[in-house]
RNA sequence: GAUCGGUUAGCUCAGCUGGUAGAGCAACGCCCUUUUAAGGCGUGGGCCCUGGGUUCGAGCCCCAGACCGAUCACCA
């Protein structure tokens, strides 16, 4: 970048940097700066009576400067929040040389620069807790102006940094300038850590399985393709890790889970990012009914850990995460919202019913897919409070065990909250002969034109042939769960760096 | 992928039927020792997303494109 392309403000900051160097001060010092407290700690615990915090050392970014001559106020922002500092010329420059105050602090330090200060806490005439500064150290210089959001007395907002494109592309600026963004990501971290704690307390093992897979099994989605040079073979970025986790159950672990990125080469919108975080867990000797209770306990625990309550306001609805959740079979849910019992309908009758409901159909759709279409169109959006939909048609679910008593169905549930799928679980299919047949059925669907049909994984079948205990498995979309628990409406707002097109120039 | 909307100063946004490009905040200069949107006075700052076209003249009109957003489609 040439000097000519810099904005006026960038040029000024580079000149200020140079002038600081010329006064003999290093604007990017190498040595550590030892803080002894934080802005939040002082705010929480300062007590004028006790006269505490008389030797504080803090560091952060300058967010505002109010210069008044021989004394000034500024605000600095650390990881915990803002605090005001009071800088008096003759206190930071006790001798004849007033350069540090007159030149460096007043003129050469800009909003966005990192400084460290030593001093004591006090309250100003107007009652604002501040740090009376005795020593001031430059820790790092900012060369670009930071848009600091301010609200004036009439409530007008100045300098808001709101353009979604800019916020996502320059998340580092967004995080500095919009404090509520940090809070969302702190909660995201807490959701992940509390979920791990919940599982770890039950002695289930966190594991890692391959991201690069030769066969993209375990789900139906278009994958990203890549290539390994030394092996000279194509690989896919995983669309799911289900088949690997089940191999570990075959191997003798009785509870394994993985929290990790999945990659799907498909459309992007408010609820889809090409890479997203999923949690999958498999527990041996359990079934999907047990799993429903586990999920209720787990989500209740996480909600409490993250928000201190099991209730969350979202889209004007108060969602209650404490169980038990409503349970409804897929057929029951369709009957409830269309008034029609479809459980006995043949594929042709189902297709006719779809037309009656004005749902578009095509010949590649089997009976299961048609049911799914009706469900998606008529039922899904109504499921605001956490609701389990159970017992799915067999042909849509090639990895789940046949229902213990209901013909043509599998033991599966999905959890819906606020009209969106949050979790998906099965009593896992562990009969290798049945599993092979299901893969074969998928192949038939693919021949009919269903491009979402699942791919056969011969090694996975081999593992089942060695024997897998009865197992229940669950997947949760962590990004969508985070959206719910943090009140966000776009997946981009719960990802630090959402995928975007390349920036021009 | 389709439709609609957006793109103008560091940030947020005005800009009429086409006629020398504006505001607030930020920046710069001077004044000011407890302010808090500090204040007062003054100053500078623009490939108006890109490329074509119409016109005496385009930020504005037309065509093509880029990027972002919303809705839909797709994505169990």
């Amino acid at each position: 970048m040439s000097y000519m392309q810099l904005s006026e403000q960038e040029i000024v900051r580079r000149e200020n940097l140079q002038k600081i160097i010329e006064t003999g001060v290093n604007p990017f010092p190498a040595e550590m700066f030892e803080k002894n407290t934080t802005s939040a700690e002082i705010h929480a615990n300062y007590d004028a009576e006790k006269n505490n915090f008389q030797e504080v050392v803090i560091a952060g970014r300058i967010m505002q400067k109010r210069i008044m001559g021989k004394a000034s106020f500024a605000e600095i922002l650390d990881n915990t929040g803002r605090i005001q500092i009071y800088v008096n010329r003759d206190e930071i420059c006790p001798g004849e040389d007033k350069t540090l105050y007159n030149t460096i602090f007043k003129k050469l330090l800009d909003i966005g620069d990192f400084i460290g200060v030593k001093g004591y806490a006090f309250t100003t005439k107007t009652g604002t807790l501040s740090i009376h500064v005795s020593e001031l150290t430059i820790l790092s210089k900012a060369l670009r102006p930071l848009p600091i959001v301010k609200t004036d007395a009439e409530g007008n907002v100045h300098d808001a940094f709101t353009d979604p494109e800019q916020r996502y592309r320059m998340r580092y600026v967004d995080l500095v300038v919009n404090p509520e963004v940090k809070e969302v990501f702190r909660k995201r971290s807490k959701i992940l850590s509390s979920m791990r704690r919940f599982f770890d307390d039950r002695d289930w093992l966190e594991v890692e399985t391959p991201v690069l897979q030769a066969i993209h099994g375990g789900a139906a989605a278009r994958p990203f393709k890549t290539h390994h040079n030394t092996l000279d073979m194509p690989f896919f970025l995983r669309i799911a890790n289900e088949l690997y986790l089940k191999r570990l159950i075959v191997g003798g672990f009785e509870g394994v889970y993985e929290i990790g990125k999945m990659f799907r080469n498909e459309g992007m919108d408010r609820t889809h990012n090409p890479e997203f975080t999923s949690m999958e867990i498999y527990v041996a000797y359990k079934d999907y009914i047990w799993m429903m209770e586990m999920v209720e306990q787990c989500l209740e625990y996480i909600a409490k850990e993250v928000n201190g309550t099991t209730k969350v306001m979202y889209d004007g609805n108060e969602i209650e995460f404490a169980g038990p959740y409503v349970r409804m079979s897929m057929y029951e849910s369709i009957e409830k919202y269309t008034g029609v019992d479809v459980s006995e309908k043949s594929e042709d009758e189902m297709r006719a019913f779809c037309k009656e409901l004005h749902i578009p159909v095509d010949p590649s759709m089997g009976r299961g897919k048609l049911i799914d279409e009706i469900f998606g169109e008529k039922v899904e959006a109504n499921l605001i409070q956490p609701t389990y939909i159970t017992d799915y048609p067999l042909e849509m679910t090639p990895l789940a065990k046949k229902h213990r008593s209901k013909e043509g169905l599998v033991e599966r549930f999905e959890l819906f909250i606020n009209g969106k799928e949050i979790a998906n679980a099965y009593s896992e299919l562990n009969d290798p002969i049945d599993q092979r047949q299901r893969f074969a059925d998928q192949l038939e669907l693919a021949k009919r034109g269903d491009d979402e049909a699942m791919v056969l994984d011969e090694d996975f079948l081999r593992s089942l042939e060695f024997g897998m205990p009865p197992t229940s498995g669950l997947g949760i979309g962590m990004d969508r769960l985070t959206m719910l628990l943090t009140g966000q409406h776009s997946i981009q707002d719960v990802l630090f760096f959402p995928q975007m097109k390349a920036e021009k120039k």
Side-chain angles (χ1 to χ4, degrees), chain A residues 38-44 58-66 73-85 111-112 117 128-131 146-151 158-160 173-180 182 186:
Chain A
T38 64
S39 141
E41 204 175 309
I42 299 170
H43 277 295
I58 58 169
R61 241 185 229 281
I62 300 174
M63 297 301 273
Q64 209 181 66
K65 277 169 79 186
R66 295 186 287 275
F73 289 90
E75 280 177 34
I76 65 176
L77 170 73
D78 69 15
N79 185 41
T80 66
R82 289 193 190 199
I83 193 159
Q84 173 166 284
I85 62 172
I111 285 175
V117 299
T128 305
L129 175 57
S130 308
I131 306 300
L146 210 51
I148 303 294
V149 185
K150 287 199 275 184
T151 309
H158 299 281
D159 283 353
V173 176
D174 191 31
L175 287 163
V176 172
V177 155
N178 296 320
E180 65 282 2
K182 263 181 149 173
R186 286 209 177 93

Side-chain angles (χ1 to χ4, degrees), chain A residues 171-350:
Chain A
R171 184 66 93 182
Y172 34 89
V173 176
D174 191 31
L175 287 163
V176 172
V177 155
N178 296 320
E180 65 282 2
V181 176
K182 263 181 149 173
E183 218 28 62
V184 170
F185 288 99
R186 286 209 177 93
K187 282 187 179 181
R188 179 174 178 127
S189 174
K190 219 164 185 179
I191 290 166
L192 293 169
S193 64
S194 57
M195 181 176 273
R196 285 197 166 95
R197 200 173 318 125
F198 184 91
F199 293 158
D200 292 347
D201 285 349
R202 284 155 183 77
D203 280 334
W204 299 326
L205 187 72
E206 180 165 13
V207 299
E208 294 174 280
T209 64
V211 170
L212 291 177
Q213 303 180 350
I215 297 168
H216 55 285
R222 283 199 316 228
F224 287 93
K225 283 180 202 161
T226 185
H227 183 265
H228 189 280
N229 290 342
T230 303
L231 295 174
D232 189 24
M233 63 181 282
F235 275 99
F236 300 101
L237 299 186
R238 66 180 174 190
I239 56 173
N241 53 358
E242 171 157 0
L243 303 187
Y244 282 96
L245 292 171
K246 286 186 195 169
R247 285 169 169 98
L248 297 179
I249 298 291
V250 170
F253 292 112
E254 295 187 1
V256 291
Y257 73 94
E258 179 170 16
I259 298 176
K261 287 283 180 75
M262 303 298 153
F263 306 85
R264 296 189 182 178
N265 203 344
E266 287 167 345
M268 294 164 61
D269 61 26
R270 223 172 51 254
T271 56
H272 295 83
N273 195 66
E275 58 182 287
F276 61 98
T277 301
S278 118
M279 189 295 301
E280 292 219 8
I281 182 165
Y282 293 81
V283 183
Y285 309 112
K286 307 296 186 189
D287 63 10
Y288 79 137
I289 293 170
W290 171 87
M291 185 64 86
M292 283 190 252
E293 280 166 29
M294 193 278 269
V295 169
E296 284 162 359
Q297 288 166 18
C298 181
L299 293 186
E300 179 174 346
Y301 175 76
I302 292 170
K304 267 192 210 154
E305 289 287 301
V306 171
N307 289 320
T309 163
T310 58
K311 296 178 173 64
V312 172
M313 281 304 293
Y314 197 91
D315 285 345
N317 298 313
E318 186 182 80
I319 293 170
E320 174 59 82
F321 277 85
Y325 305 155
V326 172
R327 299 181 189 188
M328 224 188 302
S329 79
M330 172 143 274
Y331 287 145
E332 285 165 359
S333 74
I334 290 175
E335 186 167 359
K336 177 170 177 184
Y337 290 102
T338 68
V340 177
D341 177 8
V342 296
S343 60
E344 303 294 321
K345 284 192 192 299
S346 69
E347 182 175 321
D348 287 341
E349 288 168 335
M350 206 68 84

Side-chain angles (χ1 to χ4, degrees), chain A residues 407-453:
Chain A
E407 189 67 27
L409 300 180
V410 292
E411 297 207 346
R412 170 187 186 179
F413 72 79
E414 288 188 317
L415 173 62
F416 290 85
I417 305 177
N418 199 51
K420 303 264 161 42
E421 182 203 333
I422 292 294
N424 182 22
Y426 314 146
S427 297
E428 300 295 338
L429 178 54
N430 60 347
D431 173 347
I433 299 192
D434 190 1
Q435 183 67 77
R436 185 174 291 278
Q437 184 57 46
R438 301 283 194 91
F439 278 134
D441 295 344
Q442 288 293 304
L443 210 60
E444 278 308 305
L445 283 176
K447 277 183 194 157
R448 274 171 72 167
D450 185 348
D451 54 7
E452 294 161 13

Side-chain angles (χ1 to χ4, degrees), chain A residues 382-396:
Chain A
N382 299 302
L383 308 176
I384 302 301
Q385 292 302 321
T387 304
Y388 289 124
I389 298 297
T390 65
D391 303 342
Y392 284 64
L394 182 138
E395 54 274 16
M396 318 162 45

Side-chain angles (χ1 to χ4, degrees), chain A residues 12 29 34 79 96 143-144 167 195 214 216 263 289 321 330 352 386 399 407 444 453 458 464 470 481:
Chain A
V12 167
E34 202 155 352
N79 185 41
E96 285 300 305
L143 296 182
R144 289 172 183 260
R167 288 185 49 223
M195 181 176 273
H216 55 285
F263 306 85
I289 293 170
F321 277 85
M330 172 143 274
L399 301 171
E407 189 67 27
E444 278 308 305
E458 196 60 56
L464 290 189
L481 179 63

Side-chain angles (χ1 to χ4, degrees), chain A residues 38-75:
Chain A
T38 64
S39 141
E41 204 175 309
I42 299 170
H43 277 295
N45 298 316
Y46 175 70
D47 186 334
E49 302 276 300
K50 288 189 199 153
N51 207 29
N52 53 355
F53 290 111
Q54 293 308 291
E55 277 273 333
V56 304
V57 184
I58 58 169
R61 241 185 229 281
I62 300 174
M63 297 301 273
Q64 209 181 66
K65 277 169 79 186
R66 295 186 287 275
I67 306 269
M68 283 171 304
K70 291 176 201 153
S72 312
F73 289 90
E75 280 177 34

